[in-house]
Amino acid sequence: LALLLLLSIPHLGKAGLFYQLFCVFIAFPLIIWCGARGRIAGTGKSLARFLGEISYPLYAIHYPLIYLYIYWIETDSSPFGNNGWSTPIALSAIAVSVAFICYKLYDEPLRKRLSSFLKKSKKRHSDFVLTKVNGFAFRSKIYYLCSTEVEIPW
């Protein structure tokens, strides 16, 4: 509600700069802080998870959709009719749908591959043993291709 209130303030002229600075440096971080401290249960939790999952794909695709919306408004050629609310509602539904598709077909599989790669890499690097020589710690094994272990001659 606070975010809707802050975003509904009309253009304030020269005072708008101070309002924007207030929003960016005080109000928005406060809203994020309050949201991060809250606990969600039930249906709200699944909705929050869904919105969190599509947040980056939605961020990535929203700008071209804004240009499309501006074009439709300027040329009065919206395929959803000339009703003031039909075009933004339809475009929002399209944006969420495309973001969900992008998440399922691109973001989720890529995250799984990167996660498994990082787990393998972490395991491989955790096999090294530290050896002390003259009070200094060194890695004492090197892995070549084919997983051959070779001792470093110190």
Side-chain angles (χ1 to χ4, degrees), residues 68-120:
L68 184 62
Y69 177 71
I70 291 170
Y71 170 77
W72 284 340
I73 297 301
E74 287 177 350
T75 61
D76 200 26
S77 61
S78 172
F80 304 107
N82 293 331
N83 182 349
W85 287 102
S86 62
T87 302
I89 289 172
L91 209 51
S92 297
I94 290 169
V96 169
S97 302
V98 171
F100 179 72
I101 292 168
C102 290
Y103 173 74
K104 284 296 186 184
L105 297 180
Y106 178 75
D107 198 24
E108 192 175 46
L110 182 64
R111 287 176 190 253
K112 285 180 183 177
R113 268 188 250 129
L114 287 174
S115 180
S116 69
F117 173 76
L118 290 174
K119 284 179 185 176
K120 288 177 186 176

Side-chain angles (χ1 to χ4, degrees), residues 103-146:
Y103 173 74
K104 284 296 186 184
L105 297 180
Y106 178 75
D107 198 24
E108 192 175 46
L110 182 64
R111 287 176 190 253
K112 285 180 183 177
R113 268 188 250 129
L114 287 174
S115 180
S116 69
F117 173 76
L118 290 174
K119 284 179 185 176
K120 288 177 186 176
S121 175
K122 185 177 180 181
K123 182 181 178 195
R124 187 173 62 229
H125 290 300
S126 66
D127 289 341
F128 285 99
V129 179
L130 292 178
T131 305
K132 285 193 174 183
V133 176
N134 295 331
F136 294 100
F138 295 97
R139 289 185 174 191
S140 64
K141 296 188 181 197
I142 297 178
Y143 285 86
Y144 287 97
L145 296 174
C146 304

Side-chain angles (χ1 to χ4, degrees), residues 22-43:
F22 166 77
C23 286
V24 168
F25 290 111
I26 296 172
F28 294 157
L30 188 63
I31 291 171
I32 291 171
W33 179 72
C34 289
R37 294 184 62 219
R39 300 282 180 233
I40 302 173
T43 309

